[in-house]
Coordinates of all heavy atoms in Angstrom, one line a residue:
T297 N 103.1 124.1 105.4 CA 104.1 123.0 105.4 C 103.5 121.7 104.8 O 104.2 121.0 104.0 CB 104.5 122.7 106.9 OG1 105.1 123.9 107.4 CG2 105.6 121.6 106.9
Y298 N 102.3 121.4 105.2 CA 101.6 120.2 104.7 C 101.5 120.2 103.2 O 101.9 119.2 102.5 CB 100.2 120.1 105.3 CG 99.3 119.0 104.8 CD1 99.5 117.7 105.2 CD2 98.4 119.3 103.8 CE1 98.6 116.7 104.7 CE2 97.5 118.3 103.3 CZ 97.7 117.0 103.8 OH 96.8 116.0 103.3
T299 N 101.1 121.3 102.6 CA 100.9 121.4 101.2 C 102.3 121.4 100.5 O 102.4 120.7 99.5 CB 100.1 122.7 100.8 OG1 98.8 122.6 101.4 CG2 100.0 122.9 99.3
E300 N 103.2 122.1 101.0 CA 104.6 122.2 100.4 C 105.2 120.8 100.4 O 105.9 120.4 99.4 CB 105.5 123.2 101.2 CG 105.1 124.6 100.9 CD 105.6 125.1 99.6 OE1 106.8 125.3 99.4 OE2 104.7 125.4 98.7
E301 N 105.0 120.0 101.4 CA 105.7 118.7 101.5 C 105.0 117.6 100.9 O 105.6 116.6 100.6 CB 106.1 118.5 103.0 CG 107.1 119.5 103.6 CD 107.5 119.1 105.0 OE1 107.0 118.1 105.6 OE2 108.2 119.9 105.6
T302 N 103.7 117.7 100.8 CA 102.9 116.5 100.3 C 102.3 116.8 99.0 O 101.9 115.8 98.3 CB 101.7 116.2 101.3 OG1 100.7 117.2 101.3 CG2 102.2 116.0 102.7
G303 N 102.1 118.0 98.5 CA 101.5 118.3 97.3 C 100.0 118.2 97.4 O 99.3 118.3 96.3
E304 N 99.4 118.1 98.6 CA 98.0 118.0 98.8 C 97.4 119.4 99.1 O 98.1 120.2 99.8 CB 97.6 117.0 99.9 CG 98.2 115.6 99.7 CD 97.3 114.8 98.7 OE1 96.3 115.4 98.2 OE2 97.6 113.7 98.5
I305 N 96.2 119.6 98.8 CA 95.5 120.8 99.2 C 94.3 120.5 100.0 O 93.9 119.3 100.1 CB 95.1 121.7 98.0 CG1 94.0 121.1 97.2 CG2 96.3 122.0 97.1 CD1 93.3 122.0 96.2
F306 N 93.6 121.5 100.6 CA 92.4 121.2 101.4 C 91.2 121.7 100.7 O 91.3 122.6 99.8 CB 92.5 122.0 102.7 CG 93.4 121.3 103.8 CD1 93.8 122.0 104.9 CD2 93.8 120.0 103.6 CE1 94.6 121.4 105.8 CE2 94.6 119.4 104.6 CZ 95.0 120.1 105.7
D307 N 90.1 121.1 101.0 CA 88.8 121.6 100.5 C 88.3 122.7 101.4 O 87.8 122.5 102.4 CB 87.8 120.4 100.5 CG 86.4 120.8 100.0 OD1 86.2 122.0 99.6 OD2 85.5 119.9 100.0
L308 N 88.5 123.9 100.9 CA 88.0 125.1 101.6 C 86.7 125.7 101.1 O 86.3 126.8 101.4 CB 89.1 126.2 101.7 CG 90.4 125.8 102.3 CD1 91.4 127.0 102.3 CD2 90.2 125.3 103.7
A309 N 86.1 124.9 100.1 CA 84.9 125.4 99.6 C 83.7 125.2 100.5 O 82.7 125.9 100.5 CB 84.6 124.8 98.2
G310 N 83.7 124.1 101.3 CA 82.6 123.7 102.1 C 82.5 124.4 103.4 O 83.5 124.8 104.0
Q311 N 81.3 124.5 103.9 CA 81.1 125.1 105.2 C 81.6 124.2 106.3 O 81.4 123.0 106.3 CB 79.6 125.3 105.4 CG 79.2 126.2 106.5 CD 79.3 127.7 106.1 OE1 79.2 128.0 104.9 NE2 79.5 128.5 107.1
D312 N 82.4 124.8 107.3 CA 82.8 124.1 108.5 C 83.7 122.9 108.2 O 83.8 122.0 109.0 CB 81.6 123.6 109.3 CG 80.9 124.7 110.0 OD1 81.6 125.7 110.3 OD2 79.7 124.6 110.3
N313 N 84.5 123.0 107.1 CA 85.5 121.9 106.9 C 86.7 122.1 107.9 O 87.3 121.1 108.3 CB 86.0 121.9 105.5 CG 84.9 121.3 104.5 OD1 83.9 120.8 105.0 ND2 85.2 121.4 103.2
I314 N 87.0 123.3 108.1 CA 88.0 123.7 109.2 C 87.4 124.7 110.1 O 87.0 125.7 109.7 CB 89.3 124.3 108.6 CG1 90.0 123.3 107.6 CG2 90.3 124.6 109.7 CD1 91.2 123.8 107.0
V315 N 87.3 124.3 111.4 CA 86.6 125.2 112.3 C 87.6 125.5 113.5 O 88.4 124.8 113.8 CB 85.3 124.6 112.9 CG1 84.3 124.3 111.8 CG2 85.6 123.3 113.6
L316 N 87.4 126.7 114.0 CA 88.1 127.2 115.2 C 87.1 127.5 116.3 O 86.0 128.1 116.0 CB 88.9 128.4 114.9 CG 90.1 128.3 113.9 CD1 89.6 128.7 112.5 CD2 91.3 129.0 114.3
S317 N 87.4 127.0 117.5 CA 86.5 127.2 118.6 C 87.3 127.3 119.9 O 88.4 127.0 119.9 CB 85.5 126.0 118.7 OG 86.2 124.8 118.9
Q318 N 86.6 127.7 120.9 CA 87.2 127.8 122.2 C 87.0 126.6 123.1 O 85.9 126.0 123.1 CB 86.7 129.0 123.0 CG 87.3 130.4 122.4 CD 86.8 131.6 123.2 OE1 85.6 131.8 123.4 NE2 87.8 132.3 123.7
K319 N 88.1 126.1 123.7 CA 88.1 125.0 124.6 C 88.9 125.3 125.8 O 90.0 125.7 125.7 CB 88.6 123.7 123.9 CG 88.5 122.5 124.7 CD 89.0 121.3 124.0 CE 88.9 120.0 124.8 NZ 89.4 118.8 124.1
D320 N 88.2 125.3 127.0 CA 88.8 125.7 128.2 C 89.4 127.1 128.2 O 90.5 127.3 128.7 CB 89.9 124.7 128.6 CG 89.4 123.2 128.8 OD1 88.3 123.1 129.2 OD2 90.1 122.3 128.4
G321 N 88.7 128.0 127.5 CA 89.1 129.4 127.4 C 90.1 129.7 126.4 O 90.6 130.8 126.3
K322 N 90.6 128.7 125.6 CA 91.6 128.9 124.6 C 91.1 128.5 123.2 O 90.3 127.5 123.1 CB 92.9 128.0 124.9 CG 93.6 128.4 126.2 CD 94.3 129.7 126.1 CE 95.1 130.0 127.4 NZ 95.8 131.4 127.3
W323 N 91.5 129.2 122.2 CA 91.1 128.9 120.8 C 91.9 127.6 120.3 O 93.1 127.5 120.6 CB 91.4 130.0 119.9 CG 90.3 131.1 120.0 CD1 90.4 132.2 120.8 CD2 89.0 131.1 119.4 NE1 89.2 133.0 120.7 CE2 88.4 132.3 119.8 CE3 88.4 130.3 118.5 CZ2 87.1 132.7 119.4 CZ3 87.1 130.6 118.1 CH2 86.5 131.8 118.5
T324 N 91.2 126.8 119.7 CA 91.8 125.6 119.0 C 91.1 125.4 117.7 O 90.2 126.1 117.3 CB 91.8 124.4 119.9 OG1 92.5 123.3 119.3 CG2 90.3 123.9 120.1
Y325 N 91.6 124.4 116.9 CA 91.0 124.2 115.6 C 90.8 122.7 115.4 O 91.4 121.8 116.0 CB 92.0 124.7 114.5 CG 93.4 124.3 114.6 CD1 93.8 123.1 114.1 CD2 94.3 125.0 115.3 CE1 95.2 122.7 114.2 CE2 95.6 124.6 115.5 CZ 96.0 123.4 114.9 OH 97.4 123.0 115.0
S326 N 89.8 122.4 114.5 CA 89.5 121.0 114.2 C 89.4 120.9 112.6 O 88.7 121.7 112.0 CB 88.1 120.6 114.8 OG 88.2 120.7 116.2
L327 N 90.0 119.9 112.1 CA 90.0 119.6 110.7 C 88.8 118.5 110.5 O 89.1 117.3 110.5 CB 91.3 119.0 110.2 CG 92.4 120.0 109.8 CD1 92.7 120.9 111.0 CD2 93.6 119.3 109.3
V328 N 87.6 119.1 110.3 CA 86.4 118.2 110.2 C 86.4 117.4 109.0 O 86.2 116.1 109.0 CB 85.2 119.1 110.4 CG1 83.9 118.2 110.3 CG2 85.2 119.9 111.6
D329 N 86.6 118.0 107.8 CA 86.4 117.3 106.6 C 87.2 118.0 105.5 O 86.7 118.6 104.6 CB 84.9 117.2 106.2 CG 84.6 116.2 105.1 OD1 85.5 115.4 104.8 OD2 83.5 116.2 104.5
T330 N 88.5 118.0 105.6 CA 89.4 118.9 104.9 C 90.0 118.2 103.6 O 90.3 119.0 102.7 CB 90.6 119.3 105.7 OG1 91.2 118.2 106.2 CG2 90.1 120.2 106.9
R331 N 90.0 116.9 103.5 CA 90.7 116.3 102.4 C 90.0 116.7 101.1 O 88.8 116.6 101.0 CB 90.8 114.8 102.5 CG 91.8 114.3 103.6 CD 91.8 112.8 103.8 NE 90.5 112.4 104.4 CZ 90.1 111.2 104.5 NH1 90.9 110.2 104.0 NH2 89.0 110.9 105.1
Y332 N 90.8 117.1 100.1 CA 90.2 117.4 98.8 C 89.6 116.2 98.2 O 90.3 115.2 98.1 CB 91.3 118.0 97.9 CG 90.7 118.5 96.6 CD1 90.1 119.7 96.5 CD2 90.7 117.7 95.4 CE1 89.5 120.1 95.3 CE2 90.2 118.1 94.2 CZ 89.6 119.3 94.2 OH 89.0 119.7 93.0
P333 N 88.4 116.2 97.8 CA 87.7 115.0 97.4 C 88.0 114.5 96.0 O 88.2 115.3 95.1 CB 86.2 115.4 97.5 CG 86.2 116.8 97.2 CD 87.5 117.4 97.8
G334 N 88.2 113.2 95.8 CA 88.2 112.7 94.5 C 89.6 112.4 93.9 O 89.8 111.5 93.1
E335 N 90.6 113.2 94.3 CA 91.9 113.0 93.7 C 93.0 113.7 94.6 O 92.6 114.5 95.5 CB 92.0 113.6 92.3 CG 91.7 115.1 92.2 CD 91.7 115.6 90.8 OE1 92.7 115.4 90.1 OE2 90.6 116.1 90.3
S336 N 94.2 113.3 94.4 CA 95.3 113.8 95.2 C 96.3 114.5 94.3 O 96.2 114.6 93.1 CB 95.9 112.6 96.0 OG 96.4 111.6 95.0

Side-chain angles (χ1 to χ4, degrees):
T297 299
Y298 172 82
T299 296
E300 287 283 290
E301 294 184 2
T302 68
E304 302 281 1
I305 71 169
F306 283 163
D307 177 4
L308 299 185
Q311 196 78 26
D312 285 335
N313 285 353
I314 300 180
V315 297
L316 295 98
S317 62
Q318 287 185 302
K319 184 176 181 181
D320 300 325
K322 298 288 186 180
W323 283 95
T324 187
Y325 51 88
S326 298
L327 276 59
V328 180
D329 195 11
T330 55
R331 286 176 291 169
Y332 184 82
E335 58 184 303
S336 59

